[in-house]
Amino acid sequence: MGLTGFVEGGIASIVAGCATHPLDLIKVRMQLQGETNAPKLTPYPAVQTLRPALAFHDTILTAPGSLRVPVPTPQATRAGPIAVGVRILQQEGVGALFSGVSATILRQTLYSTTRMGLYDILKKKWTDPNSGTLPLASKISAGLVAGAVGAAVGNPADVAMVRMQADGRLPLAQRRNYTSVVDAINRMARQEGIASLWRGSSLTINRAMLVTASQLASYDQIKEMILEKGVMKDGLGTHVTASFSAGFVAAVASNPVDVIKTRVMNMKVEAGAEAPYSGALDCALKTVRAEGPLALYKGFVPTISRQGPFTVVLFVTLEQVRKLLKDF
């Protein structure tokens, strides 16, 4: 108990965060697609701008004695994760896939180290000393508490990470051009006030509670079930199976909150102007009204594509770090 859980969780989280950072960046860019308050950008992918020779001059077809039939106006194409990734490579270069990685490292150091260590402490404290077991409800409760505390600690780095990842999609004149996570946090505090570092914190905390409870509790529960039923021995196969399953559960539970969190954190508030969103609920309502309910699962493919590998790397690394520390 004590600091060991924090050290183990911190090392595993930083390794997993850096390894899956490009997938997280693509997820953020996808979640911001179609945002009604976003700057007008070239859609993914770029569409041909030449006018066909036989094109109609307006969107209403008329003929003598006939009804006026509206022709639907084509909407901007929303790209999938591959198209978004390719466009980032073409327009911003390979290095852009690691935009904001310094913020990811700081975020994992603050948020994940705290949640992993606190979860480990609560799990050991609440485990029945006689049977050595912990009910699923208690694991979920431990995850909820650990996630909330970790998110509150790591929110400034989370805001910086979202902004740095999203910066490349803005027109050159509107980019923030943060040079590092320290520069981002310093400029936000000076230009927008200290409170801006905790913008979207309620969403961050809610998401972290869902992710931590679903991810850590389901990993422990699935791993225990595999070992108890003798499906596999305690080894790499068990760790990968349990961790990927936990990643899927966490992605399904957290994606709607993650979409709203990304948009609230990324919104640009001009001096004297009204903010695009007054809060999380306002953002959710505007998103659903403008883009439909499925917009809350925008970016789900890169979310699960990132959450799966992240969770696998996280827990496999965690199990290896635990073995190494036990040998010392």
Side-chain angles (χ1 to χ4, degrees), residues 29 91-92 166-178 187 268:
R29 296 286 182 93
Q91 296 189 353
E92 302 171 50
D167 212 35
R169 69 185 287 274
L170 296 173
L172 290 174
Q174 296 183 29
R175 291 184 186 179
R176 300 178 175 102
N177 295 316
Y178 298 133
R187 282 170 54 185
K268 200 165 188 177

Side-chain angles (χ1 to χ4, degrees), residues 132-162:
T133 60
L134 183 68
L136 178 59
S138 297
K139 292 172 187 171
I140 293 173
S141 298
L144 292 171
V145 173
V149 176
V153 172
N155 200 83
D158 207 5
V159 178
M161 182 185 72
V162 167

Side-chain angles (χ1 to χ4, degrees), residues 262-323:
T262 296
R263 294 188 173 196
V264 170
M265 286 183 170
N266 186 60
M267 69 177 176
K268 200 165 188 177
V269 183
E270 301 291 346
E274 184 180 356
Y277 309 116
S278 60
L281 181 60
D282 180 53
C283 180
L285 291 174
K286 285 180 178 177
T287 298
V288 172
R289 286 170 185 164
E291 305 166 54
L294 289 180
L296 297 177
Y297 274 91
K298 186 171 288 185
F300 181 75
V301 172
T303 294
I304 189 59
S305 299
R306 183 258 181 189
Q307 193 70 258
F310 175 86
T311 310
V312 170
V313 175
L314 174 67
F315 287 114
V316 169
T317 305
L318 180 63
E319 297 286 1
Q320 296 306 311
V321 171
R322 283 175 176 169
K323 289 181 181 179

